[in-house]
């Protein structure tokens, strides 16, 4: 008998039918002899609907009240799920984040977990109940105010509970079968990965793969929680995300010592590129620019600086960021025109990023060659390049991005003969 | 400067416009120099919608989970209201029943308050905040499970907080101007009462007046909380419900020593009458019948027993109850046919009750005469009669009820020259 934490996203419990379907799935797991903890998100569009209401009553809703408002969404879904499970003859109890001991700091809207004390969840399990926990929410340690964990919050709730309860596995359910070598909507021949290391998964998540949130992968790696990403629509095995590739074998899954060269590709269409043209090329210019942006919580991704020559050398600095922060960054830079001293600002939100991820590339020198050759053959212009130990990323024109993904996928022999199944949205 | 508790029902905050309207009202009160605590119900039909969802996922939802589900409704309305008030420049903080210290027993769905410890509410007031409290909900003392207070729950929350905080007044807002001498929908010439004693209000509420819930009036009387029933659509004075008629004058309102003869009329269409025909007339037969019903929580209202004569005397026992419990009562009686021994059961849900309430009738012997004369003149057949010190009630055919209300209202000189304004629903 294992202890299994299952997390279901909002699209899995979008309506009463979805709630009953998830309930059957939970009851099956329970009836197979396992202890089950379920983390659930708000139903379908509930969170967006509540945000709309907030926008109708206030121009700038206080963050404390926004958290109180939004957390009602998970209360609804968790209570309904507990009812539906009970209706199948399996005793179930729901718990809010506060009741489940999800203690956070006071950053409303993006709270960080500071302690997880699931005493009541343990009691419920000891009394043979399925425990249903509201995802995404916690309670501020000192004020007892209700907080939310921000983006990817429900995944984080699930992993944190799995770690605190020493669960055998944390299953993340969504509407796709697992992690693919590339987005099956763009590469129909993409293959589902049976397993991926958390190091690789981190790079995929950080570079545009939507299946798992970066924060949840980091948490799982840190606390050595095995993740199993799978579909709530099938009983197929999904993808195992293994905390450390060569150690900590889980009881469920043996991991071969040989590591595949490439785990997969991630892409991100939501990039924008800003170029500061003709800035004076003296030491500290880059740090001045990026300090300015960091102070306003603008997150810069890739940076390229061209060093010029001559008597009064000028430099062009380009960087990418999420396009949602593009306008803010441009305003900050315009306001600092005199302080920085530049000729011109260029803004381009028609760019995308392609990343190739694989732990094997640490020890294989041919990867970069194959990568760039494939892009050249496909007539893809490379704008910017960045690399890590297990990743190469490039920025290119957004209209070239799909071609680039397919060309690289083929070049590394990742295409399968079968067509991947896509069930619906993004699973989040 | 006073401390004012204001309670707004679901129809007052049915949508974003309603929330903003209530917010302006609260801000006005605050800006007039008062401390304000607001108790709010779930928006419009939220509670019914959630109940529908529960019915879709489970045949018999566990009461604990139903309470968790339903309490999300008030979390939504209270957070939105706090946002809307903040948006007007008045600092506001919302609190769940649990956060506001509404400690209850463990009777999910109909919990009783066992303690009210509004420490956090007091802190919020001390820090110049308006405090918004979720009505209808509490937390079980020993398990920390979320509970609901059942029908009239938000009114009870408001009165309980007013008592615990020693508020100067508890204002109950709805879509009618106050308590009337009769339902203005039936008697357009009904007059708004400026004040009514809590003894009279108890009888009116217990006998069909929907404006205030019985439990809230009882609580207010017990803890000597002055209630002010008024409309959220106007600034008119409403009706003051005064805890004890000749003592405890509130600072806001002086009460003349002379008591009017009649406070008003209440009526109730939701009555049913059951007659047990031909039961053996021996001691204990009535107690046997009513014990049987009480064991299944069937609430019996009026009882009439005809004593027969003869060698083997038989008796007919009639009683009224809320028609929602009619089928249950009939099933219980049918199952006990042998034990009780009767000839026949009659069931009639086409009956209604009319009650005349006035503290002055204690000392005035002409009231009963005028009452029955008015009914006779209006050709209203009286089926059953019951009385208390300050009330006379009759049961009649439901189609005669409106005529009866109007005839009695006129006979006691209660008709005004003006037509009462009716804004909308029932205000609950």
């Amino acid at each position: 008998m294992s202890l299994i934490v299952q997390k279901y996203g909002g699209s899995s419990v979008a309506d009463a039918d979805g709630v009953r379907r998830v309930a059957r799935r939970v009851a099956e797991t329970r009836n197979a002899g396992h202890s089950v903890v379920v983390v659930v998100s708000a139903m379908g569009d509930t969170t967006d609907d509540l945000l709309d209401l907030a926008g109708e009553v206030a121009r700038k809703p206080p963050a404390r009240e926004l958290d109180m408002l939004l957390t009602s969404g998970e209360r609804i879904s968790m209570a309904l799920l507990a009812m539906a499970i009970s209706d199948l003859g399996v005793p179930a109890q729901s718990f809010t984040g506060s009741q489940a001991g999800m203690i956070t700091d006071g950053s409303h809207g993006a709270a960080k977990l500071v302690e997880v004390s699931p005493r009541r969840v343990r009691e419920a399990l000891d009394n043979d109940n399925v425990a249903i926990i509201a995802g995404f929410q916690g309670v501020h340690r000192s004020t007892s105010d209700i907080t939310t964990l921000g983006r990817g919050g429900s995944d984080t709730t699930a992993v944190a509970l799995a770690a605190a309860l020493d669960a055998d596995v944390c299953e993340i359910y969504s509407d796709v079968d697992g992690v693919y070598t590339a987005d099956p909507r763009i590469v129909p021949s993409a293959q589902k990965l049976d397993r991926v290391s958390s190091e690789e998964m981190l790079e995929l998540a950080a570079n545009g793969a939507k299946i798992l949130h970066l924060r949840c992968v980091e948490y799982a790696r840190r606390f050595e929680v095995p993740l199993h990403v799978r579909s709530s629509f099938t009983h197929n095995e999904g993808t195992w995300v293994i905390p450390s590739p060569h150690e900590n074998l889980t009881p469920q899954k043996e991991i071969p010592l040989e590591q595949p060269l490439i785990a997969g590709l991630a892409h991100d269409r939501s990039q924008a590129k800003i170029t500061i043209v003709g800035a004076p090329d003296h030491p500290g210019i880059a740090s001045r620019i990026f300090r300015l942006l960091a102070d306003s919580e603008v997150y810069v991704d890739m940076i390229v600086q061209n060093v010029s020559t001559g008597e009064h050398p000028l430099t062009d600095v380009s960087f990418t960021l999420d396009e949602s922060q593009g306008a803010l960054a441009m305003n900050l830079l315009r306001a600092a025109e005199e302080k920085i001293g530049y000729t011109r600002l260029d803004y381009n939100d028609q760019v995308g990023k392609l990343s190739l991820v694989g732990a094997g590339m640490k020890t294989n020198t041919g990867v970069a060659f194959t990568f760039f050759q494939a892009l050249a053959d496909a007539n893809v212009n490379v704008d910017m390049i960045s690399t890590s130990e297990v990743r190469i990323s490039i920025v290119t024109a957004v209209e070239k991005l799909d071609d680039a993904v397919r060309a690289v996928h083929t070049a590394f022999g990742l295409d399968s003969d079968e067509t991947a199944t896509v069930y619906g949205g993004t699973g989040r």
Side-chain angles (χ1 to χ4, degrees), chain A residues 197-223:
Chain A
S197 72
S198 57
E199 186 183 27
E200 290 165 327
M201 194 65 233
L202 275 179
E203 291 282 7
L204 290 170
N207 290 285
K210 302 264 193 303
I211 184 89
L212 278 180
H213 199 274
L214 182 60
R215 185 175 174 194
C216 138
V217 184
E218 279 172 343
Y219 208 109
R221 183 162 79 152
R222 189 164 146 215
F223 290 96

mmCIF file of all heavy atoms in Angstrom, chain A residues 197-223:
data_model
loop_
_atom_site.group_PDB
_atom_site.id
_atom_site.type_symbol
_atom_site.label_atom_id
_atom_site.label_comp_id
_atom_site.label_asym_id
_atom_site.label_seq_id
_atom_site.Cartn_x
_atom_site.Cartn_y
_atom_site.Cartn_z
ATOM 1 N N SER A 197 14.543 13.660 -16.313
ATOM 2 C CA SER A 197 15.150 14.045 -15.041
ATOM 3 C C SER A 197 14.593 15.402 -14.618
ATOM 4 O O SER A 197 14.135 16.179 -15.449
ATOM 5 C CB SER A 197 16.669 14.142 -15.169
ATOM 6 O OG SER A 197 17.011 15.281 -15.930
ATOM 7 N N SER A 198 14.626 15.682 -13.336
ATOM 8 C CA SER A 198 14.075 16.963 -12.888
ATOM 9 C C SER A 198 14.914 18.123 -13.395
ATOM 10 O O SER A 198 14.400 19.208 -13.634
ATOM 11 C CB SER A 198 13.949 16.990 -11.364
ATOM 12 O OG SER A 198 15.192 16.738 -10.771
ATOM 13 N N GLU A 199 16.205 17.875 -13.614
ATOM 14 C CA GLU A 199 17.074 18.910 -14.184
ATOM 15 C C GLU A 199 16.582 19.302 -15.590
ATOM 16 O O GLU A 199 16.432 20.471 -15.924
ATOM 17 C CB GLU A 199 18.498 18.358 -14.247
ATOM 18 C CG GLU A 199 19.541 19.347 -14.689
ATOM 19 C CD GLU A 199 20.919 18.661 -14.778
ATOM 20 O OE1 GLU A 199 20.967 17.430 -15.007
ATOM 21 O OE2 GLU A 199 21.930 19.370 -14.613
ATOM 22 N N GLU A 200 16.296 18.272 -16.395
ATOM 23 C CA GLU A 200 15.780 18.536 -17.737
ATOM 24 C C GLU A 200 14.391 19.170 -17.683
ATOM 25 O O GLU A 200 14.070 20.090 -18.435
ATOM 26 C CB GLU A 200 15.726 17.229 -18.539
ATOM 27 C CG GLU A 200 17.104 16.681 -18.898
ATOM 28 C CD GLU A 200 17.075 15.217 -19.359
ATOM 29 O OE1 GLU A 200 16.220 14.440 -18.845
ATOM 30 O OE2 GLU A 200 17.882 14.864 -20.220
ATOM 31 N N MET A 201 13.555 18.641 -16.788
ATOM 32 C CA MET A 201 12.193 19.165 -16.681
ATOM 33 C C MET A 201 12.210 20.630 -16.281
ATOM 34 O O MET A 201 11.390 21.420 -16.743
ATOM 35 C CB MET A 201 11.407 18.328 -15.659
ATOM 36 C CG MET A 201 9.893 18.559 -15.695
ATOM 37 S SD MET A 201 9.106 18.036 -17.248
ATOM 38 C CE MET A 201 8.225 19.524 -17.722
ATOM 39 N N LEU A 202 13.160 20.987 -15.420
ATOM 40 C CA LEU A 202 13.302 22.396 -15.027
ATOM 41 C C LEU A 202 13.560 23.272 -16.243
ATOM 42 O O LEU A 202 12.959 24.329 -16.405
ATOM 43 C CB LEU A 202 14.481 22.559 -14.051
ATOM 44 C CG LEU A 202 14.234 22.326 -12.585
ATOM 45 C CD1 LEU A 202 15.537 22.510 -11.820
ATOM 46 C CD2 LEU A 202 13.180 23.293 -12.055
ATOM 47 N N GLU A 203 14.479 22.822 -17.110
ATOM 48 C CA GLU A 203 14.806 23.616 -18.296
ATOM 49 C C GLU A 203 13.616 23.683 -19.252
ATOM 50 O O GLU A 203 13.311 24.733 -19.812
ATOM 51 C CB GLU A 203 16.018 23.023 -19.023
ATOM 52 C CG GLU A 203 17.338 23.166 -18.258
ATOM 53 C CD GLU A 203 17.931 24.581 -18.366
ATOM 54 O OE1 GLU A 203 17.276 25.484 -18.914
ATOM 55 O OE2 GLU A 203 19.070 24.778 -17.881
ATOM 56 N N LEU A 204 12.907 22.558 -19.411
ATOM 57 C CA LEU A 204 11.739 22.558 -20.299
ATOM 58 C C LEU A 204 10.680 23.519 -19.765
ATOM 59 O O LEU A 204 10.105 24.316 -20.501
ATOM 60 C CB LEU A 204 11.173 21.142 -20.431
ATOM 61 C CG LEU A 204 12.035 20.145 -21.228
ATOM 62 C CD1 LEU A 204 11.488 18.724 -21.070
ATOM 63 C CD2 LEU A 204 12.084 20.527 -22.713
ATOM 64 N N ALA A 205 10.408 23.434 -18.442
ATOM 65 C CA ALA A 205 9.371 24.276 -17.845
ATOM 66 C C ALA A 205 9.763 25.746 -17.909
ATOM 67 O O ALA A 205 8.935 26.616 -18.201
ATOM 68 C CB ALA A 205 9.126 23.860 -16.400
ATOM 69 N N ALA A 206 11.042 26.021 -17.671
ATOM 70 C CA ALA A 206 11.496 27.415 -17.665
ATOM 71 C C ALA A 206 11.477 28.018 -19.058
ATOM 72 O O ALA A 206 11.467 29.236 -19.216
ATOM 73 C CB ALA A 206 12.903 27.510 -17.077
ATOM 74 N N ASN A 207 11.449 27.173 -20.080
ATOM 75 C CA ASN A 207 11.572 27.674 -21.444
ATOM 76 C C ASN A 207 10.330 27.467 -22.288
ATOM 77 O O ASN A 207 10.402 27.424 -23.496
ATOM 78 C CB ASN A 207 12.813 27.078 -22.108
ATOM 79 C CG ASN A 207 14.079 27.657 -21.501
ATOM 80 O OD1 ASN A 207 14.430 28.796 -21.789
ATOM 81 N ND2 ASN A 207 14.723 26.903 -20.624
ATOM 82 N N GLY A 208 9.201 27.310 -21.622
ATOM 83 C CA GLY A 208 7.949 27.368 -22.375
ATOM 84 C C GLY A 208 7.072 26.129 -22.321
ATOM 85 O O GLY A 208 5.925 26.188 -22.739
ATOM 86 N N ALA A 209 7.576 24.979 -21.828
ATOM 87 C CA ALA A 209 6.703 23.811 -21.731
ATOM 88 C C ALA A 209 5.663 24.086 -20.655
ATOM 89 O O ALA A 209 6.005 24.432 -19.531
ATOM 90 C CB ALA A 209 7.513 22.565 -21.386
ATOM 91 N N LYS A 210 4.366 23.972 -21.019
ATOM 92 C CA LYS A 210 3.314 24.405 -20.101
ATOM 93 C C LYS A 210 2.845 23.287 -19.156
ATOM 94 O O LYS A 210 2.050 23.531 -18.254
ATOM 95 C CB LYS A 210 2.107 24.893 -20.901
ATOM 96 C CG LYS A 210 2.394 26.032 -21.854
ATOM 97 C CD LYS A 210 2.058 27.370 -21.207
ATOM 98 C CE LYS A 210 2.040 28.487 -22.231
ATOM 99 N NZ LYS A 210 3.317 28.607 -22.972
ATOM 100 N N ILE A 211 3.308 22.096 -19.392
ATOM 101 C CA ILE A 211 2.736 20.951 -18.688
ATOM 102 C C ILE A 211 2.956 20.995 -17.177
ATOM 103 O O ILE A 211 2.102 20.579 -16.401
ATOM 104 C CB ILE A 211 3.290 19.633 -19.300
ATOM 105 C CG1 ILE A 211 2.662 18.406 -18.681
ATOM 106 C CG2 ILE A 211 4.795 19.558 -19.189
ATOM 107 C CD1 ILE A 211 1.432 17.969 -19.371
ATOM 108 N N LEU A 212 4.100 21.490 -16.745
ATOM 109 C CA LEU A 212 4.382 21.590 -15.307
ATOM 110 C C LEU A 212 4.932 22.977 -15.031
ATOM 111 O O LEU A 212 5.694 23.521 -15.839
ATOM 112 C CB LEU A 212 5.436 20.567 -14.875
ATOM 113 C CG LEU A 212 4.992 19.143 -14.594
ATOM 114 C CD1 LEU A 212 6.203 18.312 -14.186
ATOM 115 C CD2 LEU A 212 3.925 19.086 -13.514
ATOM 116 N N HIS A 213 4.581 23.504 -13.894
ATOM 117 C CA HIS A 213 5.101 24.825 -13.550
ATOM 118 C C HIS A 213 6.499 24.679 -12.948
ATOM 119 O O HIS A 213 6.770 23.770 -12.170
ATOM 120 C CB HIS A 213 4.162 25.508 -12.567
ATOM 121 C CG HIS A 213 4.366 26.983 -12.519
ATOM 122 N ND1 HIS A 213 5.291 27.575 -11.715
ATOM 123 C CD2 HIS A 213 3.771 27.978 -13.212
ATOM 124 C CE1 HIS A 213 5.260 28.886 -11.892
ATOM 125 N NE2 HIS A 213 4.347 29.164 -12.799
ATOM 126 N N LEU A 214 7.374 25.613 -13.336
ATOM 127 C CA LEU A 214 8.768 25.608 -12.890
ATOM 128 C C LEU A 214 8.893 25.421 -11.377
ATOM 129 O O LEU A 214 9.681 24.602 -10.897
ATOM 130 C CB LEU A 214 9.389 26.957 -13.290
ATOM 131 C CG LEU A 214 10.863 27.171 -12.961
ATOM 132 C CD1 LEU A 214 11.703 26.111 -13.655
ATOM 133 C CD2 LEU A 214 11.314 28.564 -13.406
ATOM 134 N N ARG A 215 8.048 26.159 -10.643
ATOM 135 C CA ARG A 215 8.133 26.157 -9.187
ATOM 136 C C ARG A 215 7.863 24.777 -8.586
ATOM 137 O O ARG A 215 8.517 24.355 -7.629
ATOM 138 C CB ARG A 215 7.091 27.148 -8.688
ATOM 139 C CG ARG A 215 7.089 27.385 -7.230
ATOM 140 C CD ARG A 215 6.089 28.474 -7.000
ATOM 141 N NE ARG A 215 5.868 28.730 -5.603
ATOM 142 C CZ ARG A 215 4.840 29.452 -5.161
ATOM 143 N NH1 ARG A 215 3.976 29.944 -6.034
ATOM 144 N NH2 ARG A 215 4.688 29.662 -3.887
ATOM 145 N N CYS A 216 6.897 24.090 -9.191
ATOM 146 C CA CYS A 216 6.549 22.755 -8.708
ATOM 147 C C CYS A 216 7.690 21.781 -8.977
ATOM 148 O O CYS A 216 8.005 20.917 -8.148
ATOM 149 C CB CYS A 216 5.235 22.345 -9.353
ATOM 150 S SG CYS A 216 5.116 20.673 -9.934
ATOM 151 N N VAL A 217 8.363 21.915 -10.137
ATOM 152 C CA VAL A 217 9.482 21.029 -10.461
ATOM 153 C C VAL A 217 10.651 21.285 -9.514
ATOM 154 O O VAL A 217 11.302 20.358 -9.013
ATOM 155 C CB VAL A 217 9.939 21.207 -11.929
ATOM 156 C CG1 VAL A 217 11.037 20.218 -12.265
ATOM 157 C CG2 VAL A 217 8.762 21.051 -12.881
ATOM 158 N N GLU A 218 10.892 22.568 -9.236
ATOM 159 C CA GLU A 218 11.971 22.919 -8.297
ATOM 160 C C GLU A 218 11.718 22.318 -6.924
ATOM 161 O O GLU A 218 12.603 21.745 -6.289
ATOM 162 C CB GLU A 218 12.062 24.449 -8.147
ATOM 163 C CG GLU A 218 12.821 25.114 -9.274
ATOM 164 C CD GLU A 218 12.730 26.644 -9.205
ATOM 165 O OE1 GLU A 218 11.841 27.163 -8.499
ATOM 166 O OE2 GLU A 218 13.538 27.287 -9.888
ATOM 167 N N TYR A 219 10.464 22.465 -6.472
ATOM 168 C CA TYR A 219 10.085 21.954 -5.160
ATOM 169 C C TYR A 219 10.252 20.430 -5.115
ATOM 170 O O TYR A 219 10.778 19.869 -4.155
ATOM 171 C CB TYR A 219 8.637 22.347 -4.891
ATOM 172 C CG TYR A 219 8.297 22.507 -3.431
ATOM 173 C CD1 TYR A 219 8.062 23.765 -2.892
ATOM 174 C CD2 TYR A 219 8.191 21.403 -2.594
ATOM 175 C CE1 TYR A 219 7.743 23.934 -1.554
ATOM 176 C CE2 TYR A 219 7.881 21.555 -1.253
ATOM 177 C CZ TYR A 219 7.658 22.816 -0.740
ATOM 178 O OH TYR A 219 7.331 22.952 0.580
ATOM 179 N N ALA A 220 9.790 19.778 -6.182
ATOM 180 C CA ALA A 220 9.871 18.314 -6.233
ATOM 181 C C ALA A 220 11.323 17.854 -6.228
ATOM 182 O O ALA A 220 11.686 16.865 -5.583
ATOM 183 C CB ALA A 220 9.156 17.796 -7.483
ATOM 184 N N ARG A 221 12.185 18.590 -6.943
ATOM 185 C CA ARG A 221 13.589 18.207 -6.979
ATOM 186 C C ARG A 221 14.230 18.382 -5.614
ATOM 187 O O ARG A 221 14.924 17.505 -5.115
ATOM 188 C CB ARG A 221 14.342 19.035 -8.016
ATOM 189 C CG ARG A 221 15.803 18.594 -8.106
ATOM 190 C CD ARG A 221 16.468 19.041 -9.361
ATOM 191 N NE ARG A 221 16.863 20.429 -9.275
ATOM 192 C CZ ARG A 221 17.893 20.942 -9.943
ATOM 193 N NH1 ARG A 221 18.593 20.167 -10.757
ATOM 194 N NH2 ARG A 221 18.203 22.205 -9.843
ATOM 195 N N ARG A 222 13.913 19.521 -5.003
ATOM 196 C CA ARG A 222 14.520 19.836 -3.716
ATOM 197 C C ARG A 222 14.132 18.807 -2.654
ATOM 198 O O ARG A 222 14.946 18.390 -1.841
ATOM 199 C CB ARG A 222 14.060 21.233 -3.295
ATOM 200 C CG ARG A 222 14.765 21.752 -2.102
ATOM 201 C CD ARG A 222 14.563 23.253 -1.957
ATOM 202 N NE ARG A 222 14.513 23.593 -0.550
ATOM 203 C CZ ARG A 222 13.761 24.540 -0.037
ATOM 204 N NH1 ARG A 222 12.979 25.251 -0.828
ATOM 205 N NH2 ARG A 222 13.786 24.777 1.251
ATOM 206 N N PHE A 223 12.861 18.394 -2.660
ATOM 207 C CA PHE A 223 12.400 17.463 -1.625
ATOM 208 C C PHE A 223 12.337 16.016 -2.119
ATOM 209 O O PHE A 223 11.754 15.160 -1.477
ATOM 210 C CB PHE A 223 11.039 17.917 -1.080
ATOM 211 C CG PHE A 223 11.143 19.168 -0.270
ATOM 212 C CD1 PHE A 223 10.886 20.409 -0.853
ATOM 213 C CD2 PHE A 223 11.533 19.118 1.060
ATOM 214 C CE1 PHE A 223 10.998 21.573 -0.107
ATOM 215 C CE2 PHE A 223 11.641 20.277 1.814
ATOM 216 C CZ PHE A 223 11.375 21.505 1.231
#
